Amino acid sequence: MMVIEPRGVISRRMQVAIPVISALVALALAALPLTFAGAPVLPAYREMFTGVFGSMFSFTEMLTRATPLIFTGLAAALAFRARLWNIGAEGQLYLGAMGAVAVGSGAIGGPAIVMIPLVLLAGMLAGAAGMLGPALLKTRFGADEVVTSLLLNFIILIFVQMMLEGALKDPMSMGWPQSRPIVDEAALPKLLPRMRIHAGLILALVTAVIAHIALTKTTWGFRIRAVGENAAAARHAGISVNRTLLGVACISGALAGLAGVSEVAGLKGYLTTDLSPGYGYSGIVVAMLAGLSPIGVVIAALYVASVFVGADSMSRAMGVSSFLADLVVAMSLISVLVGGFFARYRIRFRSKSGAGA
Amino acid sequence: MDLLDIFLNQSFWVASLRIATPLIFGVLGALLCERAGVLNLGIEGIFVVGAMVGWMSVYAGAPLWLGVIAAAASGGLFGLFHAILTVPLGLSQHVSGLGITLFATSAASFLYRTMLPDVSSPPRITAFQPMDVPFLSDIPFLGPVVFQQTAMTWLALIMVAVVWWVMDRTPLGVALKAVGDNPDAVNAQGLSVYKLRIGAVVAGSALMALGGAFLTMSAFDAFFFGMVNGRGWICIALVIFASWRPGKALLGALLFGMFDAFQVRLQTEAGAIVPSQIFLMAPYVLSIIALVIVARRAEYPRALLQPWFKGHR
């Protein structure tokens, strides 16, 4: 019969290998839907690869797509470390974008050195508020934060619609529901001429490093990890679980809000209801692929962005539905989940009458 | 139209029951899974799968009821996937559920788009028609409201009775409830915790898929991307509100349906003053409020979210 036993300590090499193998497995499994769609498999993979690495432009496109994913990935990773299930990053992203637009589209004036931090701060505060709500409902009323943060996404998206047709509407947009554009002083500068890659990427990378240091080297980070591992034990050790959860909620929401700021002030320039193609949800996959490590988030974000950009390009070239990208990303999540299991446990087959079973 | 007139209007009640139907399926499904101890966050994706598979089967030529069975089977399949990840493997029910939602949604969307390349308007099928029960439909007011719903609404109401009867009056139901409260005791009785939990999740997921199928085969007659629009998540909130009981599940779904039908009609009244989006937000806000109200006193199945393993790990 099948017996499952724990492996004991998982080596560092294994910890890194598992997500990598899982990602490759998911990519390999993409052959099945490709075949179903009638596309030749190997040429399709080649299209996906050149779709990302084939030119400077496509490579920087991938980096541009990875930028918000790093932010939402960090948001999910930090929250999940404390076992706070922030599924609301999508909504918090939009809140951050709204904050940026409210402050940075002309209401306030100033030089870039003032405007950019202002816009970032506005976005962070707005995003933080977005997760503080569900977190408070959890600590005060015991309401599950998965459902509340999830439902809030829908509420926020409708709210954005409302704002874009009302208070935030751009009078010069010929009736199209979009916000006033971010003023030049508040915009995140582009990194390369003729490419869309912008300073949000630098900000994202710096944030990832800060998050890593905070998580591993500070007391605050320790408290987060302790609460996530065993809240009862942490409370026993004198850590205020509620205060830690509320703090993580704010930071996590702020990070997701930064994704929104980055998209609006660095890439698009104004807010619309389709600003995010699901970056908040993809951020969860990024975080899981990264094993909830901030540095891992950067790498995982690059992977997920590559899948999206590559599949987009392949889809245009070969007529396969671009939903393939979502499929691969979803399979990556399940794959890494299963992979984590095999990292922690080994399966032995013993005879029923075996001794020591 | 006076505010009170909304309630006196027959179409309001018809709409309430129609809006409630997918929620009835979803809440029953979630109830089965959670009563057995497994949180199934795959519900949103399973709704999409049920909607797509049911519709596509009919589009491909199958009779409506075969489409319903196909939808249920597809839901059960994804449920089986979730069950394997969470029961014998004991992986995080939150992550597995979210993974299933992402996987099911993307798989359904990919399959749909691949089988039906872009057309300007989504193709339609001949959906379930309102039934016309010869005698009973003629009862003033109650007749049209209850007896002119489609067959799938009737199926939902029957399922409430079935789930109640199984949970309350059969040994299987007792075992199912026990496995969500005290799996060790169930194991000591010689019953298989794994089989009970997996079975509950598969059955629950089949029901969830029917909720999605109702959308494309009864409420509407086409499949749109994004049509489920959070109904699955609303069911997860409503299950807690229903204290995991089928009767209360029906009540909760009906109340929700009434609220939603009401706000649509309210929109036509107050639409000039209040932005339509406020009304659109209302169902989600209501779900959160319902959840918060019951959260403190909610008696979660005691072994919910706790994996149980044979032997020692």
Side-chain angles (χ1 to χ4, degrees):
Chain A
M1 66 174 200
M2 208 172 71
V3 173
I4 299 176
E5 356 172 288
R7 268 188 218 263
V9 178
I10 312 164
S11 72
R12 203 71 157 104
R13 218 171 22 141
M14 181 83 110
Q15 270 178 25
V16 173
I18 293 293
V20 172
I21 296 174
S22 310
L24 291 173
V25 166
L27 275 173
L29 286 173
L32 293 167
L34 277 172
T35 321
F36 179 82
V41 173
L42 286 174
Y45 280 126
R46 201 179 8 239
E47 276 296 329
M48 281 182 68
F49 187 80
T50 55
V52 176
F53 300 102
S55 72
M56 188 58 163
F57 179 73
S58 57
F59 188 68
T60 57
E61 268 304 289
M62 185 274 285
L63 291 175
T64 309
R65 287 269 251 183
T67 304
L69 288 173
I70 295 176
F71 283 119
T72 54
L74 288 173
L78 282 180
F80 288 14
R81 277 281 188 145
R83 290 231 187 191
L84 182 73
W85 301 101
N86 179 1
I87 319 294
E90 186 77 1
Q92 291 142 29
L93 183 156
Y94 274 98
L95 284 177
M98 274 201 288
V101 158
V103 156
S105 58
I108 304 174
I113 197 110
V114 165
M115 290 305 289
I116 291 184
L118 202 63
V119 150
L120 291 173
L121 190 65
M124 287 173 71
L125 287 173
M131 190 54 198
L132 189 60
L136 278 170
L137 290 177
K138 180 188 169 100
T139 53
R140 289 270 176 83
F141 301 106
D144 195 69
E145 74 277 19
V146 176
V147 188
T148 49
S149 63
L150 246 172
L151 291 173
L152 202 53
N153 285 337
F154 292 91
I155 296 175
I156 291 173
L157 213 67
I158 298 173
F159 183 66
V160 170
Q161 256 178 45
M162 193 167 82
M163 288 283 108
L164 286 181
E165 284 173 17
L168 290 179
K169 189 177 172 126
D170 182 1
M172 312 242 266
S173 66
M174 333 257 193
W176 219 250
Q178 67 186 52
S179 76
R180 278 180 231 260
I182 298 275
V183 298
D184 288 336
E185 295 83 33
L188 298 172
K190 295 255 179 276
L191 292 180
L192 292 172
R194 285 176 294 120
M195 311 284 179
R196 301 209 299 166
I197 188 170
H198 57 89
L201 178 64
I202 309 293
L203 186 64
L205 293 172
V206 167
T207 310
V209 173
I210 294 176
H212 172 78
I213 296 175
L215 198 62
T216 51
K217 306 269 194 288
T218 67
T219 330
W220 179 80
F222 174 77
R223 274 190 233 124
I224 291 179
R225 285 180 288 131
V227 165
E229 297 263 349
N230 191 334
R235 192 175 283 123
H236 196 73
I239 297 175
S240 162
V241 171
N242 279 358
R243 205 131 35 101
T244 308
L245 286 176
L246 292 176
V248 161
C250 288
I251 299 294
S252 178
L255 287 167
L258 279 178
V261 176
S262 163
E263 287 298 281
V264 140
L267 189 64
K268 202 147 181 200
Y270 53 87
L271 175 63
T272 52
T273 51
D274 60 358
L275 185 73
S276 164
Y279 288 133
Y281 300 111
S282 305
I284 295 173
V285 183
V286 166
M288 292 303 302
L289 279 171
L292 303 185
S293 119
I295 303 299
V297 161
V298 175
I299 302 172
L302 292 173
Y303 164 72
V304 172
S306 301
V307 169
F308 277 118
V309 172
D312 257 347
S313 164
M314 187 269 301
S315 160
R316 275 191 305 262
M318 307 185 76
V320 176
S321 160
S322 58
F323 281 116
L324 185 73
D326 305 82
L327 203 50
V328 172
V329 170
M331 288 195 291
S332 307
L333 179 60
I334 298 180
S335 185
V336 82
L337 197 60
V338 174
F341 173 80
F342 284 111
R344 289 196 304 273
Y345 301 99
R346 68 167 69 92
I347 301 186
R348 281 264 173 82
F349 292 92
R350 291 221 176 99
S351 64
K352 274 214 165 89
S353 57
Chain B
M1 230 209 283
D2 209 6
L3 227 66
L4 211 57
D5 283 334
I6 294 180
F7 286 107
L8 295 174
N9 190 312
Q10 179 180 292
S11 74
F12 164 75
W13 295 97
V14 176
S16 301
L17 193 49
R18 189 187 64 234
I19 295 173
T21 302
L23 299 176
I24 295 173
F25 281 120
V27 177
L28 284 179
L31 185 157
L32 275 179
C33 297
E34 291 182 30
R35 257 315 184 53
V38 178
L39 175 68
N40 189 353
L41 290 179
I43 185 171
E44 182 83 358
I46 292 174
F47 258 70
V48 177
V49 162
M52 202 285 288
V53 169
W55 184 91
M56 191 58 87
S57 311
V58 176
Y59 187 74
L64 282 169
W65 283 109
L66 201 58
V68 171
I69 293 173
S74 65
L77 197 65
F78 279 92
L80 182 64
F81 202 178
H82 179 64
I84 292 177
L85 292 175
T86 53
V87 179
L89 298 187
L91 297 166
S92 162
Q93 292 180 9
H94 288 105
V95 181
S96 171
L98 288 170
I100 293 290
T101 280
L102 290 174
F103 182 45
T105 308
S106 54
S109 308
F110 179 82
L111 283 173
Y112 180 83
R113 185 42 84 225
T114 303
M115 290 192 271
L116 288 175
D118 241 314
V119 286
S120 50
S121 55
R124 303 156 73 176
I125 57 166
T126 318
F128 278 102
Q129 299 302 315
M131 302 193 312
D132 203 1
V133 183
F135 207 34
L136 299 163
S137 301
D138 295 323
I139 303 174
F141 200 85
L142 196 63
V145 169
V146 178
F147 295 101
Q148 279 180 12
Q149 297 287 341
T150 66
M152 280 199 83
T153 299
W154 273 98
L155 181 63
L157 295 173
I158 292 170
M159 288 316 297
V160 173
V162 168
V163 170
W164 170 81
W165 187 76
V166 168
M167 298 292 278
D168 226 60
R169 294 285 151 98
T170 64
L172 176 64
V174 175
L176 243 152
K177 286 187 282 191
V179 101
D181 268 337
N182 191 344
D184 279 326
V186 172
N187 184 49
Q189 295 273 331
L191 296 169
S192 167
V193 171
Y194 285 0
K195 285 204 199 120
L196 280 167
R197 283 188 166 178
I198 293 176
V201 172
V202 170
S205 305
L207 280 172
M208 291 172 182
L210 289 181
F214 177 82
L215 292 176
T216 50
M217 296 169 71
S218 186
F220 308 105
D221 54 8
F223 176 83
F224 310 95
F225 296 119
M227 74 187 302
V228 174
N229 207 20
R231 279 181 187 80
W233 308 129
I234 289 174
C235 289
I236 296 286
L238 287 179
V239 153
I240 304 176
F241 184 75
S243 308
W244 296 275
R245 290 211 281 269
K248 270 180 134 185
L250 175 62
L251 185 68
L254 281 175
L255 281 173
F256 193 94
M258 282 167 58
F259 182 85
D260 211 6
F262 186 76
Q263 62 92 341
V264 166
R265 280 150 182 78
L266 202 59
Q267 234 184 88
T268 55
E269 304 271 323
I273 322 154
V274 183
S276 62
Q277 287 93 359
I278 298 283
F279 297 101
L280 288 173
M281 281 189 219
Y284 305 106
V285 175
L286 181 70
S287 304
I288 295 182
I289 291 175
L291 182 61
V292 170
I293 291 176
V294 294
R296 261 286 178 258
R297 290 173 297 123
E299 276 179 32
Y300 284 82
R302 269 171 284 159
L304 181 63
L305 288 175
Q306 289 166 28
W308 182 91
F309 302 118
K310 244 185 277 204
H312 34 96
R313 272 219 229 155

